[in-house]
Amino acid sequence: MYGISLITHYHGTKAWRVTLFRDGRKVVEKEFPHLTHGSEEAALLAAIAHRDEQMLLHPPRCSRDVREKIRTTNSSGHSGVTRYRMGKYWYWVAQTKRRDGRPMTKSFRIDLLGEEQAKALAVAERARQLSEIDHLVFRSREGELHHAKLVRDSSSSRPGE
């Protein structure tokens, strides 16, 4: 159950806890005690309803947007674009990992194209690579599938559509 866990407090009371993270930080945390809701099942139903509502209120970012962040170790000024040497030649390289972990990489030789053109081509190539990234950032496939279902259900239940 994505974002929902069963917890037992030190004094023995049990509850369902809804926890959602976005961008590495906790944005939702709420408990649904069994006693307060009358039963474990009623508390779980309340937790599920709350989680689903919060997932729609706090959608995850697109992986493409996350990958555009400039890291502190970046020296090119462009995410996914690096300058390095292979053998006796220097290159500007655009690189992106696909969702399945396979790399997308294209190199531009500086001695053939010149420093500025090789870098510009690498930056343009990185933008092209990112245009192929369209999935949302989730900690699990279960969360991604559940979010997609919630979005589908909410758009089909809107009046006038």
Side-chain angles (χ1 to χ4, degrees):
M1 288 188 301
Y2 179 79
I4 299 177
S5 56
L6 179 62
I7 62 164
T8 304
H9 288 282
Y10 69 93
H11 45 74
T13 59
K14 293 186 176 192
W16 293 102
R17 179 182 288 159
V18 175
T19 310
L20 296 176
F21 291 85
R22 296 293 180 259
D23 299 328
R25 65 181 182 83
K26 195 182 303 184
V27 293
V28 174
E29 183 173 62
K30 184 172 181 181
E31 290 184 13
F32 296 84
H34 299 177
L35 289 175
T36 304
H37 290 84
S39 70
E40 179 179 347
E41 295 78 21
L44 178 58
L45 291 174
I48 290 170
H50 181 72
R51 182 229 20 224
D52 292 353
E53 174 186 324
Q54 293 302 308
M55 283 182 76
L56 291 172
L57 288 173
H58 302 281
R61 290 176 46 191
C62 183
S63 181
R64 171 183 47 245
D65 298 335
V66 173
R67 293 166 188 238
E68 288 176 338
K69 182 180 179 182
I70 304 283
R71 308 284 181 226
T72 57
T73 57
N74 182 298
S75 58
S76 71
H78 302 276
S79 67
V81 175
T82 57
R83 184 181 193 270
Y84 71 87
R85 184 176 167 174
M86 287 192 318
K88 63 180 181 174
Y89 300 109
W90 283 91
Y91 296 84
W92 276 104
V93 180
Q95 51 193 358
T96 304
K97 276 194 180 176
R98 291 183 178 94
R99 187 169 198 182
D100 60 9
R102 293 181 316 162
M104 289 187 273
T105 304
K106 190 163 184 181
S107 304
F108 302 91
R109 229 168 91 179
I110 294 170
D111 66 312
L112 296 178
L113 299 166
E115 188 77 35
E116 292 78 24
Q117 186 180 7
K119 184 176 182 181
L121 288 170
V123 169
E125 172 60 18
R126 170 67 172 181
R128 187 203 64 75
Q129 291 171 357
L130 287 176
S131 71
E132 295 182 17
I133 307 295
D134 64 354
H135 63 278
L136 300 175
V137 178
F138 277 98
R139 289 185 170 195
S140 72
R141 180 85 171 133
E142 179 188 8
E144 181 180 7
L145 294 172
H146 189 71
H147 182 265
K149 180 184 180 308
L150 290 173
V151 169
R152 264 194 322 273
D153 292 352
S154 70
S155 65
S156 65
S157 66
R158 288 188 193 134
E161 291 186 357

